[in-house]
Amino acid sequence: MVHLNSRSNFLFFISFLLLSIQISQAAILKGRVIDSDTHETIAGAFVDIVGTKNIYVSDVNGNFIFEDLSKGTYSLSAKMMGYKVSVTDPIELSSNEAVVTYDIYKKSEINELKNVQVKGAKNKETDASARLDEKMASNVINIISAKTIETLPDQNIANVMQRVSGVSMIKNNTGNNTEVIIRGMPPRYSSTLINGTSAPSTSGADRSVPLDIIPSDLVGRVEVTKALTPDQEGSGIGGTVNVEMKDAPEKEFFNINLATGYNQLFFDNKITTFNAGNVNSYIKDPAESHLNTNPYYDYMANLSDFSRAHLLVKQVQAPLDYNGALSWGRRFFHNKLGILVSGSYASINQGSYTDYMSYGVNELNKVSISQTNTRSYFTEGQRIGSNVKLDYQFDRNNKISIYNSFFQLTEDRVRHQVDTTSEKLTFQDVTNRDISTLVSTSMQGHHQILTDFEVDWSLVYSVATSQSPDLVTINTVQVLEPKLPLYLNYSSCITREWQHNNDADKTAYLNLKYKPIVFDHLLEFKVGGMARVKNRCNYANEYTFDAPVNNPPYPDLATVIVTQDKNPQQRMGDAVNNPGNYQATENIEAGYIQVKTNFGKLQILTGARIEFTYQTNFHSQTQKVLIPSTVNQFKYYDILPSLHLNYQLTDKQNMRMSVYQGISRPNYTELVNFQATAVNGGTNGNPNLQHSVGTCFDARYEWYPEKEEVFTAGVFYKYLPNPILDITDPGTNINSPKNLNIPCTNYGIELVGTKYIGNFGASVN
């Protein structure tokens, strides 16, 4: 035990008081060392106070701190291998109690070393890479990596897309996802890219790309851009989906996946099918099959020109579903040549049963069921896909890549529908084989001309086709009171339609990037352009058949003699005013200028894009389907500015704001100059339809706790002064696309969260 007398207590108190005063009067100078290009903090940098021996090595988060400083003016020097030595401007500590925070931004220094080669590649297929790219992007973007796709049960990209915040999908009759809806905007307001280049459409009516044609096994990542920059095509008011195929690997690998299953629906039900193989012999209708004889001859079809083998449907036990994929990749010639070959095949059987009910008010003023409608859909689908990637690294500054992607979706469909009224049952059976194909081939180059100047270019040829040969509709009727046998409907008991389209794009892209340092400040200038030539050809024809005079009960479709003597058009086909029968060209030329720079923690990207559009539409309104009788031409241009701000709140948090303009061009069929001939209902074309321009605003807060985790909260607002809508005339019930005179607004919020606990992760949006 130690005892202190009163004198020693007094001296101890005075000493403690002086020490406290000295500590309280010590100024502090602290901050971080940050890479001025990437905004990442720099660990291990040597920071010293100029003219003193005070040195601090920045910690793992780039932090440094100098304590016990006195009032005065100081300058800091920071040194780090790979960066230029930097000395700060004078920093004033106004008092002995001052605490000043000052971040040091360092610029990279490039020193060329002879006979030293360092190689590395970023794996863009990981979640960590996806989160980093979202964090460092200049605009608002969401990315799904190949790693995430592999953990999902989704066999095609359309099903993958529903995992993205703000994205929903249009479903077909069997419940499959097909076309994308971004932020509630119809597919016409979005665009689809493959490997960064625009993809043509397999649709016979619009520009949308059904994403269920692309197998998920072949995809390296999916990027959903929600705020366009000037170097991106302007056709994305809603947003843009970019499907990047898998890249050539750094190390050799071989991978194979096989799976099988069975649709629960077919445990208790059989699948309805037809002889779809017979359709392949009738890809062309009778008129098109005889064009070689006389290209302008209106062929009068005979009953013998139409096969009946695929008119009959039957019920069978559904086979197993199965899918498989394999991939192989390797690098050759001292890793200069990279090759990736991958393929995928899937067979899917689906079906659905749906009941619809119509309600009305009876004579007792009570609501009652007036009509029921029962429908069943069955689909047998085969999806084929392949992806080949070649790249050659001439040296560290020059690289050329070649991509080739092939996708095909074949669906054999059967629909059975029953309409119930008080007097009769109406039956309708539809059989159809639909074949959609999408092929994209591109050559891309990247060249580092100087340390601060680089060039990249792309040449792309893409073709999308769709064939729907001999879509057969059979209408039968049965009177209930008195109950009579089943008969063919007397008028148009059978219709047979042929449709095919070809959408071919030839596109060239060129981008120049220059990174000068002006007044010790790094700028990134980017200019470039695009030119595309599109040729689209649609063919459609329809034949109708009537019941014979002696209409037999329960007709045998293999032998029943139907008639085509009501008018000559029944035998020549329906080419008059058929909106599906047209040819179109669309040439787009574009250029842009873009600049990006940083002011401390704030990154700014701004610029403008100009797009010139030239369209020509040929439509035949005569029975000579190859002779265009109407020609419509359209020419316009748009200047599309944009501004994107990204403020780095902390190393792991961003605050973004974007405003940009985008466009939506009319669908091809909408510009065809045709008029509906239906007495009640139908569709009109509108050659006066104008393209739509929209102004879009985005703001988003982002937090990236760990390398694979993210939490974001965002708001968006879109304003369209002239949206395109399908308007139905209440008097004639005729539908026509028009520009709405009333402006349209679209706004909403988006929340995203991804969290990992060990190897277990959860994602919500």
Side-chain angles (χ1 to χ4, degrees):
M1 182 177 295
V2 178
H3 297 279
L4 297 176
N5 56 30
S6 60
R7 185 172 180 270
S8 62
N9 284 337
F10 176 75
L11 292 175
F12 176 78
F13 174 76
I14 295 300
S15 300
F16 179 78
L17 180 61
L18 292 175
L19 180 62
S20 300
I21 293 173
Q22 182 179 1
I23 293 176
S24 65
Q25 291 181 343
I28 297 175
L29 177 57
K30 62 180 181 177
R32 297 175 301 167
V33 184
I34 300 174
D35 188 309
S36 61
D37 295 332
T38 66
H39 287 266
E40 294 286 337
T41 56
I42 302 174
F46 288 83
V47 183
D48 65 271
I49 299 177
V50 177
T52 72
K53 295 183 179 180
N54 290 348
I55 299 177
Y56 196 100
V57 180
S58 60
D59 63 17
V60 68
N61 294 317
N63 297 311
F64 67 86
I65 184 170
F66 294 100
E67 302 176 314
D68 300 334
L69 300 179
S70 302
K71 174 183 177 181
T73 301
Y74 301 86
S75 292
L76 299 178
S77 172
K79 301 177 182 179
M80 181 65 184
M81 181 178 295
Y83 292 88
K84 295 180 179 180
V85 177
S86 56
V87 178
T88 68
D89 295 330
I91 305 168
E92 182 180 359
L93 301 182
S94 58
S95 67
N96 290 333
E97 295 87 8
V99 178
V100 176
T101 300
Y102 191 96
D103 292 340
I104 302 174
Y105 286 84
K106 296 189 65 61
K107 294 179 174 58
S108 59
E109 182 177 34
I110 299 176
N111 295 318
E112 185 174 349
L113 302 177
K114 295 182 179 179
N115 301 324
V116 176
Q117 189 175 21
V118 179
K119 292 186 176 180
K122 175 183 176 182
N123 187 356
K124 298 179 67 175
E125 299 180 5
T126 65
D127 282 348
S129 175
R131 299 293 80 77
L132 179 61
D133 287 347
E134 289 177 348
K135 176 183 176 182
M136 304 306 299
S138 301
N139 53 344
V140 179
I141 187 172
N142 292 101
I143 301 175
I144 297 184
S145 68
K147 177 184 175 182
T148 297
I149 294 174
E150 289 172 359
T151 63
L152 299 173
D154 305 322
Q155 296 182 16
N156 61 74
I157 293 302
N159 291 336
V160 172
M161 290 304 304
Q162 63 188 349
R163 318 287 179 174
V164 182
S165 66
V167 174
S168 55
M169 303 299 297
I170 292 179
K171 296 181 181 295
N172 60 17
N173 294 329
T174 53
N176 288 329
N177 295 315
T178 55
E179 300 171 353
V180 67
I181 298 175
I182 302 178
R183 292 175 163 177
M185 306 286 286
R188 70 161 64 244
Y189 294 105
S190 303
S191 61
T192 300
L193 314 177
I194 296 178
N195 294 322
T197 60
S198 181
S201 173
T202 60
S203 172
D206 54 42
R207 301 172 178 270
S208 61
V209 179
L211 294 177
D212 57 337
I213 196 175
I214 304 178
S216 57
D217 310 86
L218 310 182
V219 175
R221 61 159 51 180
V222 180
E223 301 171 343
V224 181
T225 301
K226 298 176 179 176
L228 301 182
T229 54
D231 59 349
Q232 296 177 298
E233 295 191 42
S235 54
I237 297 177
T240 296
V241 177
N242 179 31
V243 181
E244 287 198 7
M245 310 310 294
K246 288 187 175 181
D247 205 348
E250 289 300 307
K251 297 181 179 180
E252 183 177 8
F253 84 98
F254 177 79
N255 185 48
I256 184 169
N257 294 317
L258 297 173
T260 187
Y262 198 73
N263 192 324
Q264 182 180 354
L265 175 69
F266 300 122
F267 287 161
D268 302 318
N269 301 278
K270 292 186 176 182
I271 190 171
T272 302
T273 184
F274 67 105
N275 185 8
N278 185 70
V279 177
N280 292 333
S281 302
Y282 293 87
I283 295 296
K284 296 181 179 181
D285 72 299
E288 196 176 15
S289 298
H290 289 80
L291 287 179
N292 292 331
T293 304
N294 187 338
Y296 306 122
Y297 177 70
D298 292 325
Y299 179 72
M300 302 289 287
N302 301 305
L303 292 179
S304 59
D305 292 323
F306 301 93
S307 170
R308 298 196 179 200
H310 51 278
L311 268 62
L312 306 177
V313 298
K314 57 183 178 180
Q315 290 188 327
V316 298
Q317 192 65 41
L320 288 172
D321 295 342
Y322 53 90
N323 66 83
L326 60 87
S327 299
W328 171 82
R330 185 181 174 183
R331 302 200 74 84
F332 300 88
F333 307 124
H334 303 289
N335 292 331
K336 287 189 174 183
L337 174 65
I339 300 177
L340 171 74
V341 180
S342 55
S344 174
Y345 178 81
S347 177
I348 311 102
N349 301 279
Q350 296 176 307
S352 66
Y353 294 90
T354 308
D355 292 326
Y356 299 89
M357 295 184 182
S358 300
Y359 296 87
V361 179
N362 58 24
E363 63 275 5
L364 300 177
N365 202 28
K366 293 184 178 180
V367 177
S368 61
I369 298 175
S370 59
Q371 185 177 5
T372 61
N373 185 308
T374 301
R375 300 177 189 176
S376 59
Y377 295 90
F378 299 95
T379 301
E380 297 174 280
Q382 295 84 39
R383 183 185 300 107
I384 302 173
S386 67
N387 176 45
V388 177
K389 165 70 187 302
L390 304 175
D391 67 69
Y392 192 83
Q393 188 86 37
F394 293 91
D395 52 45
R396 64 177 184 173
N397 295 325
N398 296 279
K399 180 180 180 180
I400 290 181
S401 302
I402 297 177
Y403 296 86
N404 180 267
S405 300
F406 171 85
F407 313 110
Q408 185 178 83
L409 179 62
T410 302
E411 292 186 320
D412 299 329
R413 306 166 183 161
V414 177
R415 184 184 74 184
H416 178 70
Q417 178 174 310
V418 182
D419 287 333
T420 304
T421 65
S422 58
E423 299 178 353
K424 61 183 179 180
L425 294 176
T426 301
F427 302 89
Q428 186 180 83
D429 291 287
V430 179
T431 59
N432 178 35
R433 162 163 280 195
D434 186 88
I435 308 169
S436 298
T437 303
L438 176 59
V439 182
S440 178
T441 302
S442 65
M443 176 182 289
Q444 303 178 4
H446 181 85
H447 310 281
Q448 189 79 38
I449 308 300
L450 301 171
T451 56
D452 54 2
F453 180 67
E454 59 187 273
V455 177
D456 65 80
W457 53 269
S458 300
L459 298 175
V460 186
Y461 179 67
S462 301
V463 180
T465 63
S466 176
Q467 298 183 74
S468 181
D470 205 0
L471 186 153
V472 179
T473 303
I474 301 171
N475 297 299
T476 54
V477 64
Q478 182 178 25
V479 177
L480 296 179
E481 294 182 5
K483 189 173 182 179
L484 298 177
L486 185 72
Y487 290 92
L488 285 172
N489 197 40
Y490 282 94
S491 177
S492 299
C493 62
I494 299 177
T495 61
R496 304 180 73 157
E497 304 173 47
W498 274 261
Q499 183 273 332
H500 60 78
N501 62 272
N502 183 288
D503 192 356
D505 289 354
K506 298 176 183 178
T507 312
Y509 300 86
L510 177 64
N511 301 289
L512 310 176
K513 186 185 295 184
Y514 179 51
K515 294 182 178 181
I517 297 178
V518 181
F519 298 112
D520 204 32
H521 191 74
L522 180 65
L523 298 173
E524 180 184 288
F525 292 100
K526 192 174 182 181
V527 297
M530 178 210 75
R532 173 178 299 119
V533 176
K534 176 187 286 291
N535 288 281
R536 185 176 182 90
C537 179
N538 265 46
Y539 179 84
N541 210 355
E542 177 183 296
Y543 300 85
T544 61
F545 303 82
D546 297 325
V549 176
N550 298 319
N551 194 355
Y554 302 111
D556 181 4
L557 296 175
T559 58
V560 65
I561 304 299
V562 292
T563 65
Q564 284 187 295
D565 52 11
K566 182 181 294 185
N567 56 64
Q569 185 177 317
Q570 286 187 295
R571 295 179 59 189
M572 289 187 294
D574 181 19
V576 178
N577 288 327
N578 192 327
N581 206 350
Y582 67 91
Q583 297 182 42
T585 64
E586 181 179 80
N587 299 336
I588 299 176
E589 300 169 359
Y592 71 90
I593 182 170
Q594 175 180 296
V595 60
K596 182 172 69 172
T597 189
N598 295 302
F599 292 94
K601 297 181 178 181
L602 176 65
Q603 182 188 90
I604 300 175
L605 186 151
T606 187
R609 183 181 185 88
I610 184 169
E611 293 196 355
F612 297 88
T613 304
Y614 308 91
Q615 293 174 310
T616 304
N617 191 295
F618 304 91
H619 178 234
S620 174
Q621 290 184 300
T622 70
Q623 294 175 3
K624 295 179 175 61
V625 296
L626 293 186
I627 302 179
S629 61
T630 61
V631 178
N632 298 313
Q633 294 182 325
F634 311 89
K635 182 190 301 183
Y636 51 88
Y637 73 92
D638 297 274
I639 298 177
L640 309 171
S642 64
L643 172 66
H644 304 269
L645 306 177
N646 180 18
Y647 187 79
Q648 187 182 38
L649 299 172
T650 67
D651 296 341
K652 299 181 178 181
Q653 298 180 77
N654 292 332
M655 189 66 203
R656 299 183 182 274
M657 191 278 288
S658 296
V659 58
Y660 73 96
Q661 283 194 324
I663 63 174
S664 176
R665 298 178 178 88
N667 294 323
Y668 313 107
T669 308
E670 294 172 334
L671 296 174
V672 176
N673 190 21
F674 66 93
Q675 299 294 318
T677 57
V679 177
N680 184 22
T683 302
N684 279 352
N686 183 5
N688 297 317
L689 190 65
Q690 302 295 314
H691 70 290
S692 183
V693 179
T695 301
C696 310
F697 171 83
D698 271 273
R700 188 166 82 175
Y701 164 77
E702 301 173 348
W703 178 33
Y704 300 89
E706 301 295 338
K707 63 180 182 179
E708 295 184 346
E709 298 178 349
V710 62
F711 295 92
T712 67
V715 297
F716 64 88
Y717 178 85
K718 300 179 184 294
Y719 175 81
L720 284 75
N722 61 335
I724 302 174
L725 294 178
D726 291 329
I727 307 297
T728 301
D729 189 312
T732 62
N733 201 31
I734 291 178
N735 185 66
S736 179
K738 296 180 180 179
N739 294 106
L740 194 64
N741 294 326
I742 303 174
C744 170
T745 58
N746 178 27
Y747 52 89
I749 64 173
E750 292 180 357
L751 303 174
V752 177
T754 300
K755 175 66 178 176
Y756 279 87
I757 302 176
N759 293 325
F760 176 79
S763 179
V764 296
N765 70 71

